[in-house]
Amino acid sequence: MSKVKVAIIGYGHLGKWHVDKALALQDQCELIGIIELNESTRATLQNQFPHLKIVSKLKDIVDLIDAGIVVTPTSTHFSVVEQLLQAKKHVFCEKPLCSSVREALELKKLSLDQKTVLQVGHSERFHQIWETYRPIFMNLPGPYVVRINRAAAFKGRATDVDVLQDLMIHDLDLMLWLFSDKPNSVIAQGAKIRTKYWDQVSAHFTNEKGCHFYVTVGRNYTREVRDLEVYGSFGTYHVDLFSNQLDFATPEVFSDGSYVKTEKYPKRDHLLLEQTAFYHSILNQAPIVVDVQDGLNALRYIEAVTDSLNSQRSINIAPL
Ligand SMILES: NC(=O)c1ccc[n+]([C@@H]2O[C@H](COP(=O)([O-])OP(=O)(O)OC[C@H]3O[C@@H](n4cnc5c(N)ncnc54)[C@H](O)[C@@H]3O)[C@@H](O)[C@H]2O)c1
């Protein structure tokens, strides 16, 4: 195979961008078509892309493709990914992989049985700053405190799921990926404001080494916030994922006499990088950048937070 024949499943807010990226990566993939449930969207798409197959069901295109990119609402991920894997297709599924650990275990087994690539869209891993700072964060002397905040004004999207599956999944994946000390208990509080699900949640994770991880997410917030902070005897790092800036407050003094160093880093096209990595795994057997186990791990922590919210108690989390 010299190019991956791919279909995008779901042409909503994010699906449009995935189509854009697939069209930009024609040296690695051939976009065969788009699967979209909405009839009027399909009619518009067929006018816009007369050379593509625009269909409502996977079965109408499945024999023509090697891979599917799943950008449908989260509550549909499991059934769409399962169908693709059963047909022995490679899958890139937007975050979260599915809605529960039980479903993720089924998808893991299926992808291993079928020997297909299954990549998950934890896009926050693709910030350029992590190339330098992940090795530093992974080796921080403990104990340390991590604080991650992600909040936005209500946009009316992703209301089929709670804010944990909508937003916190990004931060739990980052927490597990960036730091070697994994939390093993959590207590959480939250509020249902806009939807029948949790809309704002603060979770406090700890471990036996004395590390604390405070993760707060909200989708009925006053402004856009996306930041991560870690402090300990080594100083304080603050990363603003919106303005692409890292500040480091040293416990000593820098050579110019200052106590804080600021680094700007370039904004990257995360979707383009994710799709490139996906095609690279299929075509060249490159390791999967965010694999099914990563998707499963993030869901295990989501389930612990949910248990704590529902029981109002601290929940133990078994080691990964
Ligand atoms: N990585 C990120 O930062 C990020 C950002 C936004 C959204 N997402 C994820 O992307 C997914 C989609 O989000 P969105 O905001 O684009 O949603 P959306 O509601 O705007 O779009 C979903 C589209 O899928 C279509 N659809 C629904 N079921 C389908 C099916 N079975 N087959 C084909 N089409 C179907 C809908 O008609 C709709 O057009 C969600 O899982 C969300 O969590 C990830």
Side-chain angles (χ1 to χ4, degrees):
M1 188 195 308
S2 62
K3 282 187 188 188
V4 178
K5 292 189 168 69
V6 69
I8 310 291
I9 302 120
Y11 191 83
H13 170 71
L14 194 63
K16 291 183 176 66
W17 290 106
H18 271 293
V19 166
D20 212 45
K21 304 310 164 196
L23 291 171
L25 292 171
Q26 288 187 36
D27 54 331
Q28 297 156 49
C29 73
E30 183 188 350
L31 180 60
I32 300 294
I34 301 169
I35 307 169
E36 168 54 53
L37 276 190
N38 186 289
E39 199 178 341
S40 70
T41 307
R42 283 204 306 279
T44 311
L45 281 171
Q46 198 63 81
N47 277 331
Q48 193 182 348
F49 302 112
H51 62 292
L52 296 183
K53 279 190 90 65
I54 309 295
V55 299
S56 63
K57 291 195 175 61
L58 178 63
K59 72 174 178 49
D60 298 331
I61 201 172
V62 73
D63 292 340
L64 306 175
I65 59 172
D66 307 306
I69 297 182
V70 179
V71 207
T72 56
T74 296
S75 48
T76 67
H77 285 186
F78 176 74
S79 70
V80 177
V81 174
E82 186 185 38
Q83 284 177 61
L84 283 162
L85 293 177
Q86 278 168 345
K88 234 179 167 31
K89 306 300 167 187
H90 303 289
V91 180
F92 172 29
C93 180
E94 264 307 331
K95 55 72 16 203
L97 170 61
C98 50
S99 303
S100 69
V101 170
R102 186 186 52 75
E103 289 179 353
L105 285 167
E106 280 186 46
L107 296 180
K108 180 180 171 187
K109 180 174 183 323
L110 196 50
S111 69
L112 289 174
D113 289 350
Q114 299 286 56
K115 298 186 173 52
T116 50
V117 171
L118 175 50
Q119 183 181 317
V120 186
H122 289 302
S123 51
E124 292 287 4
R125 289 191 188 193
F126 291 81
H127 285 271
Q128 196 195 67
I129 197 77
W130 304 138
E131 286 175 11
T132 310
Y133 283 91
R134 182 174 179 243
I136 294 173
F137 288 179
M138 286 294 275
N139 290 298
L140 287 176
Y144 48 79
V145 175
V146 176
R147 188 183 57 77
I148 311 178
N149 291 326
R150 179 183 303 269
F154 188 66
K155 297 195 178 72
R157 292 205 296 264
T159 52
D160 60 323
V161 293
D162 61 24
V163 74
L164 306 179
Q165 293 195 27
D166 181 10
L167 301 182
M168 194 183 275
I169 192 89
H170 280 300
D171 305 306
L172 299 189
D173 178 64
L174 275 186
M175 177 180 84
L176 297 173
W177 183 67
L178 286 175
F179 301 98
S180 50
D181 295 309
K182 313 296 181 211
N184 54 20
S185 79
V186 64
I187 183 145
Q189 289 81 35
K192 296 174 183 174
I193 306 168
R194 283 280 184 178
T195 68
K196 58 183 173 174
Y197 305 114
W198 300 105
D199 290 314
Q200 301 223 162
V201 173
S202 293
H204 176 195
F205 299 88
T206 50
N207 67 15
E208 72 290 334
K209 291 187 182 164
C211 294
H212 293 261
F213 302 80
Y214 299 90
V215 184
T216 294
V217 292
R219 56 181 179 187
N220 191 65
Y221 202 56
T222 50
R223 62 188 193 284
E224 303 279 334
V225 181
R226 235 178 252 186
D227 62 14
L228 182 148
E229 192 175 82
V230 50
Y231 66 86
S233 56
F234 44 81
T236 303
Y237 295 89
H238 177 262
V239 187
D240 186 330
L241 298 168
F242 252 135
S243 57
N244 295 71
Q245 178 171 312
L246 175 138
D247 297 294
F248 173 53
T250 173
E252 290 135 13
V253 60
F254 291 113
S255 53
D256 62 359
S258 65
Y259 297 99
V260 179
K261 171 181 89 170
T262 294
E263 245 180 87
K264 280 271 187 195
Y265 64 94
K267 199 174 166 64
R268 297 203 297 201
D269 187 336
H270 296 178
L271 278 192
L272 194 79
L273 293 171
E274 289 178 288
Q275 275 200 34
T276 303
F278 179 53
Y279 303 135
H280 192 37
S281 293
I282 298 169
L283 295 171
N284 310 313
Q285 292 74 50
I288 302 168
V289 282
V290 184
D291 67 13
V292 61
Q293 190 60 46
D294 296 319
L296 174 58
N297 291 343
L299 282 164
R300 283 190 49 215
Y301 278 72
I302 289 285
E303 287 198 351
V305 176
T306 308
D307 284 354
S308 178
L309 286 168
N310 291 336
S311 66
Q312 282 302 292
R313 294 190 12 210
S314 173
I315 300 294
N316 290 328
I317 306 166
L320 289 176

